[in-house]
């Protein structure tokens, strides 16, 4: 496995070539780092599942370079899908659509749907374009962490999560810290009305405004998305919601919330954007320090705060079994 710290065109081309030859490439997106494989290469995709210890029925997102590629991967597309794609792609939004024949069972977990996303990170887009210039049609990429663990938001965390499982021909492209820090918004677009499956920085308000009608969160779904399982995004430390913490325990809250005496402040974000950007780094820090417990004061309000609360609540549910 090779970690490359510059994103010269030569490196991006090497990454695209590695993917096309059936190797894996971990790459930055604006949300979190992904572990990529050629979405048409069953063997390469199988390695992603094995490296992540991810159950094979959990589908992968296919990353594409442009809205124009939707019709290669999906069929029977609702009109509103193009409105969403125009407003939020490239960007942190994944659309669940009825799949075309291109999307194999090994991508979709045997479901009749496929998740598509055009990322906005310049390195991700550049890699996609180079990959497509070699004849590639899409890069399948889940977050580059072990199944159920915290997504990596920088290349060191990718190495920590999966570095030892990568081969010498695999690549990790480093481009520093991801700006957004929580995974993309997932929207089920298979029905007449879209439903949000996973909150992210493309918020319910933005989606509703874009479409001109209210879009809600899915209450119950038969769509299998690990991000909506009870336990996910979990550190080793036990996470509780509390503004109190004992000495030696971890503490995460907005900067305005004072640190309980003796507690170890893991981050002090000033804004919700910073909270999202720093949450995963903060819980990883707790694990590095070997802390048993983290008290978290979740941010209030709508918008991105919902995504932050969602990830925090997933961390807690795991800890409570
Ligand atoms: O921000 C992100 O979305 C990152 C970056 C790398 O793009 N990717 C990511 O992938 O978070 P992953 O696999 O860790 O989470 C994607 C979620 C999973 O919960 C998966 O089950 C769901 O998307 N998903 C993918 N395809 C689906 C489908 N056809 N139907 C329902 N859910 C799907
Ligand atoms: Mg994930």
């Amino acid at each position: 496995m090779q970690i490359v710290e510059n994103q010269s065109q030569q490196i991006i081309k090497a990454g695209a070539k590695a993917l096309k030859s059936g190797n894996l490439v971990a790459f930055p997106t604006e949300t979190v780092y992904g572990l990529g494989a050629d979405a048409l290469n069953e063997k390469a995709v199988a390695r992603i599942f094995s490296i992540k210890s991810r159950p094979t029925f959990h589908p992968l997102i296919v990353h594409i370079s442009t809205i124009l590629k939707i019709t290669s991967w999906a069929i029977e597309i609702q009109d509103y899908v193009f409105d969403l794609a125009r407003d939020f792609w490239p960007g942190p939004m994944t659309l669940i659509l009825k799949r075309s024949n291109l999307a194999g069972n090994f991508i979709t977990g045997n479901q009749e749907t496929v998740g598509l996303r055009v990322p906005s990170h310049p390195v991700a887009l550049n890699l996609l374009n180079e990959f497509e210039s070699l004849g590639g049609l899409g890069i399948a990429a889940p977050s580059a962490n072990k199944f159920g663990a915290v997504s990596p938001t920088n290349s060191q965390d990718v190495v920590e999560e999966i570095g030892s499982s990568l081969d010498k021909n695999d690549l990790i492209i480093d481009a520093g810290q991801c700006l957004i820090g929580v995974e993309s918004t997932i929207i089920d677009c298979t029905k007449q009305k879209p439903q949000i499956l996973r909150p992210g920085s493309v918020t319910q308000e933005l989606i509703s405004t874009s479409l001109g009608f209210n879009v809600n969160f899915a209450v119950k779904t038969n769509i299998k998305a690990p991000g909506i399982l009870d336990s996910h995004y979990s550190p080793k430390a036990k996470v509780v919601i509390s503004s109190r913490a004992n000495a030696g325990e971890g503490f995460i809250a907005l900067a305005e919330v004072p640190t309980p005496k003796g507690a170890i402040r893991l981050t002090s974000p000033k804004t919700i954007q910073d909270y999202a950007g720093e949450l995963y780094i903060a819980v990883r820090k707790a694990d590095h320090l070997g802390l048993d417990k983290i008290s978290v004061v979740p941010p209030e309000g709508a918008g991105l705060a919902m995504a932050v609360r969602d990830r925090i609540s997933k961390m807690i549910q795991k800890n409570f079994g």
Side-chain angles (χ1 to χ4, degrees), residues 32 52 54 142-146 148-149 151 183 198 226-227 232-233:
V32 300
K52 281 181 62 86
R54 177 168 169 135
S143 51
N145 52 278
K146 293 278 186 191
S151 299
E183 304 79 358
R198 178 173 76 179
H232 216 63
Y233 315 115

Side-chain angles (χ1 to χ4, degrees), residues 34-57:
L35 176 61
D38 178 349
L40 295 180
N41 185 327
E42 186 165 5
K43 260 195 180 161
V45 170
R47 280 191 62 219
I48 290 185
F49 281 92
S50 130
I51 287 172
K52 281 181 62 86
S53 307
R54 177 168 169 135
T56 48
F57 55 84

Side-chain angles (χ1 to χ4, degrees), residues 163-180:
S164 62
S165 312
L166 295 178
D167 288 347
K168 69 175 193 330
N169 294 325
D170 300 329
L171 217 62
I172 299 178
I173 301 179
D174 170 45
Q177 187 65 35
C178 299
L179 268 184
I180 295 175

Side-chain angles (χ1 to χ4, degrees), residues 12 15 27 36 38 49 57 61-62 64 70 76 79 82 85 92 107 129 168-169 171 183 206 208 221 240 242 255 270:
I12 304 279
F27 62 95
D38 178 349
F49 281 92
F57 55 84
I61 297 172
V62 177
I64 50 178
I70 297 188
E76 296 170 27
D79 288 344
F82 295 100
I107 291 288
N129 281 314
K168 69 175 193 330
N169 294 325
L171 217 62
E183 304 79 358
L206 287 170
S208 300
T221 172
V240 297
S242 177
K270 290 199 180 64

Side-chain angles (χ1 to χ4, degrees), residues 143-286:
S143 51
N145 52 278
K146 293 278 186 191
F147 184 66
V150 180
S151 299
T153 56
N154 55 59
S155 67
Q156 295 92 294
D157 294 345
V158 175
V159 174
E160 179 178 288
E161 283 287 329
I162 55 159
S164 62
S165 312
L166 295 178
D167 288 347
K168 69 175 193 330
N169 294 325
D170 300 329
L171 217 62
I172 299 178
I173 301 179
D174 170 45
Q177 187 65 35
C178 299
L179 268 184
I180 295 175
V182 292
E183 304 79 358
S184 62
T185 306
I186 302 183
I187 310 172
D188 175 7
C189 298
T190 58
K191 305 193 186 70
Q192 258 184 339
K193 241 193 129 181
Q195 284 193 311
I196 302 168
L197 300 179
R198 178 173 76 179
S201 69
V202 172
T203 62
Q204 180 181 23
E205 295 76 9
L206 287 170
I207 295 165
S208 300
T209 305
S210 155
L211 296 182
F213 56 84
N214 269 343
V215 176
N216 294 314
F217 286 87
V219 182
K220 246 189 172 177
T221 172
N222 54 7
I223 289 182
K224 298 184 198 85
I228 53 173
L229 285 181
D230 280 352
S231 82
H232 216 63
Y233 315 115
S234 302
K236 293 189 185 74
K238 177 184 170 105
V239 177
V240 297
I241 293 196
S242 177
S243 57
R244 283 187 288 205
N246 296 319
E249 292 176 355
F251 190 70
I252 296 175
L254 281 166
E256 66 208 34
V257 184
T259 312
K261 201 164 167 230
I264 298 161
R265 187 82 186 206
L266 296 166
T267 182
S268 299
K270 290 199 180 64
T271 63
I272 304 298
Q273 277 76 16
D274 288 349
Y275 206 136
E278 291 164 23
L279 178 66
Y280 290 165
I281 309 174
V283 295
R284 274 180 189 280
K285 192 165 154 194

